[in-house]
Amino acid sequence: QTYETLDEEDKYNYLHSETTYHLLYATVETCVVWDNDGLANLAFDCILQNKILLNSVSCREKISAKLSSANCAKIKSQLKEGEIAIEMWSNKDFNFGPSGYIYVFAIKRDWRTPKVIKLSKNDIYRALNNEIQTSENYLPMFETIWKPILSQIGVAEGDTIYMSLDDILSQIPVENICGYDWKYMGDKYNIRRVSDTSKIHELREFQPFTSAYLYGGAINSFEYLPWSDIEIDNASVALGKLIFPEKISIRKGNLCTKKSVTQLSGNAPSILHFATHGFNISSKENDNIFSGYDKHIFAMDHMGLIFSNTDTGNEDCLLSASEISKLDLSKTDLVVISSCNSGIGDFSAVNIDAELIYAFKRAGVHTIMVSLSEIDDVATSVFMKVFYEKLSAGLSKNEAFKLAQKTLRKSEEFSKFPYWAYFVMID
């Protein structure tokens, strides 16, 4: 039976069962609304059309045999020598417990079909919790994530890897995992996070920046962030060498409002910077806010950014991901969100990609910088200052971002991993 033919009670049971192939029953629009024509979406279409169950012994061979459509050719045509596209797709597998697998689909220009690699989510979670022992008794994250991938894709040092990540891997700074030679993966390879592997040709390295809005110093009932003022002031000074000062708007205190952001819809600046608190009310914290079958839409109503209060009450200071997704920010090339955990979402089979990242993507933003953890205010202020200085010096967004990380990493005060490693940039 398909999901659409079930009665309301059975629909509820399917969506709330721990042992249901949720993604095989829900609609394509619900499950892969963000993937468009990328490799993972291509695989999902094959699974639906050909009824391939991912816990089948020969599933990888079957999927590989089916991935030869025009979309695959489109993706390959965008790749140059020394480049590879990787897109991930998560699913449950009865044979290996509730965690299941993350399927890695990889393609190069000269490959006929993508390669399919399976990563155990259970092993990844165990490595994160330091519960897994590897053959060398160290580097568990490398062995559970990168080693299986690198053994199959054949990349050389300096090659470019375009990665569209899914599930828990999108919440991990995989670029900053060390290999056996103690080199960070992001130093060995040019790793680019992308939201869709079919749109590599749309990456804009040197987009001209003509205007910027910088938000910080919000006044509300939450903890005040004094360094957010310094952060956007430093960013403004650095950007003054790239953008005419009159085109840079600093929105602090009572000017740091939700209304100011929503009024930019249709005529947004080149750069939007948010040094504010974020909020994310997960289903575990409040089950009552998650009702109905399309949970990922409801989840986006309960995560977002916090601005200054207005006279009408606290609710006006909350800009939800759902509201962001409905804005027209197509003229904005770069959004920087320096709040804690701004890149963290809530993943489940019916709550797909409920993140600020995808809200801004849906609004039309090209590149987004977020944090995957709690961040230090002082270190973040320095990081952003260096980033905008490098950007103003003529470097691309990606180059400026990587140099900002390396600058903090090599500094005496901010060399520790948490100060610099959890920022990621997604095109």
Side-chain angles (χ1 to χ4, degrees), residues 96 146 148 169 179 187 202 221 234 244 325 380 421:
F96 292 89
W146 277 106
L169 289 185
D187 287 349
E202 296 181 7
S221 58
N234 289 341
F244 290 119
S325 69
T380 299

Side-chain angles (χ1 to χ4, degrees), residues 13-14 26 54 68 73 86 94 104 125 145 147 172 174 209 231-232 270 276 289 319 325 335 347 373 380 382 398 410:
N13 290 336
Y14 272 121
L54 291 184
S68 57
I86 291 177
F94 291 158
V104 180
Y125 278 107
I145 298 173
K147 185 178 178 180
I172 299 173
V174 295
F209 297 107
E231 180 179 322
I232 62 173
S270 302
T276 66
I289 66 172
L319 179 62
S325 69
V335 165
F347 289 96
S373 180
T380 299
V382 174
N398 185 51
K410 293 179 180 179

Side-chain angles (χ1 to χ4, degrees), residues 187-204:
D187 287 349
K188 292 188 68 171
Y189 311 106
N190 179 30
I191 299 175
R192 304 290 300 273
R193 289 194 182 216
V194 297
S195 58
D196 186 351
T197 52
S198 71
K199 297 181 180 179
I200 295 170
H201 66 290
E202 296 181 7
L203 297 184
R204 296 177 288 192

Side-chain angles (χ1 to χ4, degrees), residues 30-31 80 87 89 103 171 219 239 247 251 320 327 411 417:
T30 297
C31 293
K80 302 174 183 177
E87 189 153 345
W89 185 77
Y103 287 79
Q171 321 279 275
I219 302 172
L239 284 172
K247 294 293 185 178
R251 315 296 285 183
S320 72
L327 299 177
S411 71
F417 196 84

